[in-house]
Amino acid sequence: VFSGCSAGGRGALYNLDYVPAMIPDGIRVVGIFDAAIWVVTTNIILPQQTAMVLSLANATGRLGERCVAHFPNENEHWKCLYGEFRAQFISLPFLAASSQYDSFQLFTALQHMEPYRPDEWLFIENFRAAMRSALSNLPKGRSVFSTGCWAHCLTETELFWERPIVEETTGLTINMRDLITMTIFKNNFDSKSFGAKLMAQCTGFQCSCPGTPQV
């Protein structure tokens, strides 16, 4: 399992398809990307930052051939280091865990906590819609765990097993640990077990996670 949270999650996302060449043949590789899906909104800070990182780090060796072929214009190569776009072109199976109110991305854009102005609430809900769209549109065979919470990273805290999502079809409450067990370990890394997309369907800010938001 090749995994990471936040910056580590993005690193895992960019590098997953390169891992098999670094290890002995016959080892199955899957990814877990925790809080790694950045989405494009009307705020341009993170896209600009990503383009700068590409230039400063000369990260052309980790853009992925399929992604570069889709974005051949050099001015768009930064998208191949941006979760919303790059995740579409990853060949190996993975699970993406991203909150619909990702606290890092929202705080980076707004630069403050509550109270929010009406226009900022609109931005927040538009962000949630963009995140849901990005996760829903991941290719077949890619798993998703997405709460309706103000949060960032689940795998490094007790929220890994304490923060559930209600599965609509069965009514079961499933946390991230459960989903990883079902999609990865229970089936011995069989890529056919991937593809479950668990996303909170509730309405409103912090709808599935009451309490005071924390960055």
Side-chain angles (χ1 to χ4, degrees), residues 131-147:
M131 178 63 78
R132 288 181 58 84
S133 176
L135 295 173
S136 297
N137 291 326
L138 288 176
K140 184 179 179 181
R142 307 299 183 260
S143 294
V144 167
F145 187 85
S146 180
T147 68

Side-chain angles (χ1 to χ4, degrees), residues 17-149:
D17 280 343
Y18 296 94
V19 171
M22 305 176 190
I23 59 178
D25 292 341
I27 297 177
R28 295 177 178 174
V29 178
V30 299
I32 299 175
F33 310 143
D34 189 5
I37 303 298
W38 283 4
V39 296
V40 171
T41 64
T42 54
N43 185 284
I44 61 173
I45 292 176
L46 294 180
Q48 286 181 336
Q49 183 185 102
T50 303
M52 291 173 63
V53 167
L54 172 59
S55 176
L56 290 171
N58 189 26
T60 55
R62 285 297 183 265
L63 298 179
E65 292 182 4
R66 293 174 60 211
C67 187
V68 170
H70 189 81
F71 298 109
N73 189 323
E74 191 171 326
N75 291 331
E76 290 191 300
H77 283 179
W78 63 269
K79 293 182 178 180
C80 296
L81 293 179
Y82 209 85
E84 176 180 7
F85 303 107
R86 179 58 179 278
Q88 299 288 333
F89 303 100
I90 295 174
S91 299
L92 291 174
F94 63 83
L95 185 155
S98 288
S99 172
Q100 294 167 34
Y101 296 105
D102 183 86
S103 58
F104 172 78
Q105 294 182 69
L106 286 172
F107 189 81
T108 298
L110 299 174
Q111 293 294 298
H112 69 94
M113 302 288 286
E114 292 187 74
Y116 297 121
R117 302 187 307 268
D119 63 305
E120 290 174 327
W121 280 118
L122 179 61
F123 177 88
I124 288 169
E125 289 305 320
N126 285 341
F127 173 89
R128 183 189 189 188
M131 178 63 78
R132 288 181 58 84
S133 176
L135 295 173
S136 297
N137 291 326
L138 288 176
K140 184 179 179 181
R142 307 299 183 260
S143 294
V144 167
F145 187 85
S146 180
T147 68
C149 305

